[in-house]
Amino acid sequence: MRTLIFATPSSGSTDFKSNLCKHNEYDLNFGEILNERTFKKKLSRNIIDNEEWKIFCEENSALNYTEQLAQFQIKRFTESKNCIAKLFPDHLHLLNIDLILKYCSKLCEVADKIFYLQRENKKEQIVSRSVRFIEGEPDKELMYSYKGDLSNDILNENFEHYRKYLNIIEKVFKNHPGQVVTLERDIEDTTAEGRYVYKGDWELPEELPILK
């Protein structure tokens, strides 16, 4: 069975996937399937066949790197009969929205089981990303070590980020429905102790989509 976890960051996807892996024997664990940084690490460790990737790039040289990676991973996901992967649409941020929808939809089309993960408390989710990216590159440890404030500009920037990708997920969900998993109701929160707590007065400019 090809299992796909479609989510945005800070929605409990790490714990949720770990729990699935404990109870199922997958032949292949893609992790974050379209994450360029982890993809390159797997290439350097020969977890992904370098020769296969090289040939694929040569045959698809008209595509940019992000599309090559997306198509290559979709091909591998399709060919695997028993695997699990996490899909974060923001890993395709260099592409336009139509292409992001195209590649996310293709993965959903070949998945046998899709879990759509979400978080009811969008404000906390936005705060979480704001802290993790406060120094540029994402760092989960900052959720426990960062003691500074968050400006409204930073929070608004991250709000726009989530609005873009939650709207994409909502559109894909309408065409490729799956099981909705909500952090606050369905996943045990094992990371709350010592986590950053926002004490400012910023509020969501508007409500964000909730899948049902």
Side-chain angles (χ1 to χ4, degrees):
M1 176 178 285
R2 303 180 197 91
T3 300
L4 186 66
I5 300 169
F6 200 171
T8 50
S10 299
S11 58
S13 63
T14 299
D15 285 345
F16 184 76
K17 185 171 81 68
S18 294
N19 188 54
L20 283 178
C21 290
K22 285 178 184 176
H23 294 90
N24 299 275
E25 293 185 5
Y26 298 108
D27 297 330
L28 182 57
N29 183 346
F30 281 89
E32 295 175 3
I33 190 167
L34 300 182
N35 186 326
E36 180 180 327
R37 186 169 57 171
T38 56
F39 180 82
K40 287 180 176 178
K41 284 182 180 178
K42 289 179 179 180
L43 279 174
S44 68
R45 298 170 186 168
N46 288 318
I47 296 171
I48 295 173
D49 189 313
N50 279 263
E51 189 62 26
E52 182 184 358
W53 168 240
K54 179 182 177 182
I55 292 170
F56 184 87
C57 290
E58 289 172 350
E59 292 175 345
N60 296 274
S61 59
L63 299 175
N64 61 47
Y65 185 86
T66 302
E67 287 194 81
Q68 287 177 336
L69 189 154
Q71 291 195 17
F72 182 73
Q73 290 290 72
I74 290 169
K75 175 177 176 288
R76 294 178 68 227
F77 186 76
T78 303
E79 290 171 350
S80 175
K81 304 304 179 187
N82 182 36
C83 61
I84 186 168
K86 284 201 298 184
L87 171 59
F88 288 170
D90 56 344
H91 287 149
L92 298 173
H93 67 278
L94 295 176
L95 304 180
N96 63 45
I97 289 178
D98 286 343
L99 285 174
I100 296 173
L101 283 166
K102 171 185 172 181
Y103 289 123
C104 289
S105 296
K106 280 191 173 182
L107 275 168
C108 290
E109 284 171 10
V110 297
D112 299 303
K113 178 71 175 180
I114 310 171
F115 294 98
Y116 287 88
L117 268 60
Q118 65 179 359
R119 189 167 178 171
E120 283 184 336
N121 193 327
K122 305 298 187 189
K123 180 178 176 179
E124 280 191 7
Q125 189 174 17
I126 289 164
V127 166
S128 176
R129 187 180 193 277
S130 300
V131 171
R132 289 186 293 105
F133 280 81
I134 198 74
E135 296 179 355
E137 292 296 322
D139 184 353
K140 289 184 178 181
E141 294 304 314
L142 286 169
M143 285 302 299
Y144 303 93
S145 62
Y146 183 69
K147 305 300 180 186
D149 296 324
L150 294 172
S151 70
N152 285 358
D153 286 344
I154 289 174
L155 289 164
N156 285 329
E157 180 183 329
N158 282 280
F159 170 83
E160 292 299 331
H161 177 93
Y162 274 107
R163 179 167 66 171
K164 175 181 178 179
Y165 293 106
L166 288 171
N167 283 334
I168 285 172
I169 290 176
E170 185 180 42
K171 287 179 180 178
V172 176
F173 178 76
K174 288 177 180 177
N175 293 320
H176 305 282
Q179 182 176 338
V180 177
V181 177
T182 304
L183 173 61
E184 289 84 350
R185 294 196 300 267
D186 304 318
I187 305 173
E188 181 183 359
D189 188 353
T190 62
T191 64
E193 187 175 350
R195 192 166 60 201
Y196 179 86
V197 177
Y198 174 69
K199 297 179 180 178
D201 58 3
W202 180 85
E203 297 293 338
L204 297 181
E206 64 183 67
E207 292 300 314
L208 294 171
I210 291 285
L211 302 179
K212 296 178 181 178

